[in-house]
């Protein structure tokens, strides 16, 4: 979905390096999420933010941190990358004003390789 | 634990034939269920969701899913498969306990052949 963009799309880094993955959205949604996808494991939630001042850990937050710089921007950082953080990372957004349980809309993903 | 399961890693079907991609959910928690599709080198795209109401849910690209409470299933179906339907399909559900967090199945690779 072009309304949710992620940069970079691909990244190769070395063990111990600090890297940041960025997500921006023009959908006007208040809620944003970071997931990682590993083959055979589906998607797992890393962190989520329901508004600029609300940050929450997901099921696999260890080794990661996030920053919600504005309603439209949500960054994921790996403070000291390790090889088992090699994965496909997705950002998603949703709108809490939606009646019922809102749909999440995903960015194109960032493929990260940690050597 | 609240979860969804996709029992098939891969499903193969001939173009023009009906397709089914299976999903079952654990009884605990709410049965708010979603289907997403991932095309190669793309993000996940929303197909459909069941929250309440009619057990047969119609979604994008001609897909539909049937919520079956007695069998705790939410299988994705399409009457006539296209080669372009070949993709990775994920079932997901809302986790209760606050918020709009999703838990995903492990995914099913659908391959539609001529």
């Amino acid at each position: 979905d072009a309304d949710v963009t992620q940069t970079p799309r691909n990244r190769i880094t070395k063990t111990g390096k600090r890297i940041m993955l960025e997500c921006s959205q023009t959908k006007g949604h208040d809620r944003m999420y970071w997931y990682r996808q590993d083959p055979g494991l589906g998607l797992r939630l890393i962190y989520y933010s329901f508004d600029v001042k609300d940050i929450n850990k997901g099921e696999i937050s260890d080794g990661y941190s996030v920053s919600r710089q504005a309603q439209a921007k949500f960054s994921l950082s790996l403070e000291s990358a390790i090889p088992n953080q090699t994965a496909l990372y997705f950002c998603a957004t949703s709108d809490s004003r939606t009646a019922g349980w809102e749909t999440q809309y995903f960015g194109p993903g960032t493929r990260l390789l940690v050597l | 634990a609240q979860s969804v399961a996709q029992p098939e890693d891969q499903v193969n079907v001939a173009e023009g034939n009906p397709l089914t991609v299976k999903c079952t959910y654990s009884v605990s928690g709410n049965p708010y269920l979603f289907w997403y599709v991932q095309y190669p080198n793309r993000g996940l795209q929303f197909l459909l969701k069941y929250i309440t109401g009619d057990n047969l849910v119609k979604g994008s690209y001609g897909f539909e899913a049937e919520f079956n409470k007695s069998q705790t299933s939410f299988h994705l179906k399409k009457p006539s498969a296209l080669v372009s339907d070949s993709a990775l399909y994920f079932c997901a559900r809302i986790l209760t306990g606050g918020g709009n967090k999703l838990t995903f199945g492990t995914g099913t690779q659908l391959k539609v052949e001529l």
Side-chain angles (χ1 to χ4, degrees):
Chain A
D1 191 320
D3 298 325
V4 184
T5 58
Q6 294 183 235
T7 55
R9 293 294 312 278
N10 294 279
R11 178 75 184 268
I12 300 173
T13 191
K14 295 182 179 180
T15 296
K17 294 290 187 180
R18 181 181 188 276
I19 66 164
M20 178 182 289
L21 309 182
E22 298 186 345
C23 176
S24 295
Q25 52 111 349
T26 58
K27 299 181 78 69
H29 290 174
D30 53 338
R31 297 180 169 182
M32 299 186 74
Y33 312 78
W34 275 105
Y35 294 88
R36 65 177 280 176
Q37 181 183 9
D38 298 278
L41 294 179
L43 278 75
R44 293 178 291 166
L45 183 63
I46 305 172
Y47 270 96
Y48 60 102
S49 170
F50 284 167
D51 65 43
V52 174
K53 297 180 180 179
D54 179 74
I55 303 288
N56 303 280
K57 293 182 177 180
E59 59 180 309
I60 54 163
S61 59
D62 288 348
Y64 301 95
S65 62
V66 292
S67 173
R68 185 83 183 266
Q69 300 96 322
Q71 186 183 49
K73 296 183 182 295
F74 192 36
S75 299
L76 176 72
S77 293
L78 286 67
E79 298 299 326
S80 180
I82 56 176
N84 76 1
Q85 291 178 314
T86 292
L88 185 55
Y89 290 85
F90 286 106
C91 174
T93 73
S94 68
D95 185 351
S96 66
R97 296 166 297 179
T98 306
W101 295 103
E102 67 261 29
T103 299
Q104 292 185 22
Y105 295 89
F106 287 77
T110 294
R111 192 170 296 278
L112 176 65
L113 174 61
V114 183
L115 300 174
Chain B
Q2 303 169 44
S3 64
V4 290
Q6 294 181 244
E8 301 160 317
D9 292 335
Q10 181 160 326
V11 170
N12 297 323
V13 65
E15 188 175 49
N17 284 359
L19 70 87
T20 299
V21 183
K22 296 180 180 178
C23 173
T24 59
Y25 63 94
S26 59
V27 175
S28 62
N30 65 72
Y32 301 138
L33 299 159
F34 296 73
W35 275 103
Y36 283 86
V37 59
Q38 183 180 22
Y39 296 102
N41 301 313
R42 302 280 297 276
L44 275 72
Q45 296 180 31
F46 169 74
L47 281 177
L48 51 82
K49 65 182 177 183
Y50 172 81
I51 303 300
T52 187
D54 195 343
N55 289 342
L56 184 63
V57 180
K58 293 189 181 297
S60 306
Y61 313 121
F63 284 93
E64 59 187 28
E66 184 174 9
F67 175 73
N68 188 317
K69 187 174 181 179
S70 63
Q71 297 184 6
T72 62
S73 67
F74 190 56
H75 300 334
L76 182 70
K77 299 181 179 183
K78 188 174 182 180
S80 179
L82 299 172
V83 172
S84 57
D85 292 329
S86 298
L88 185 58
Y89 290 79
F90 289 99
C91 180
R93 75 183 290 180
I94 293 286
L95 287 171
T96 50
N100 190 49
K101 296 171 286 184
L102 286 173
T103 185
F104 285 82
T106 52
T108 298
Q109 185 69 48
L110 173 66
K111 185 174 183 181
V112 182
E113 301 166 311
L114 290 171

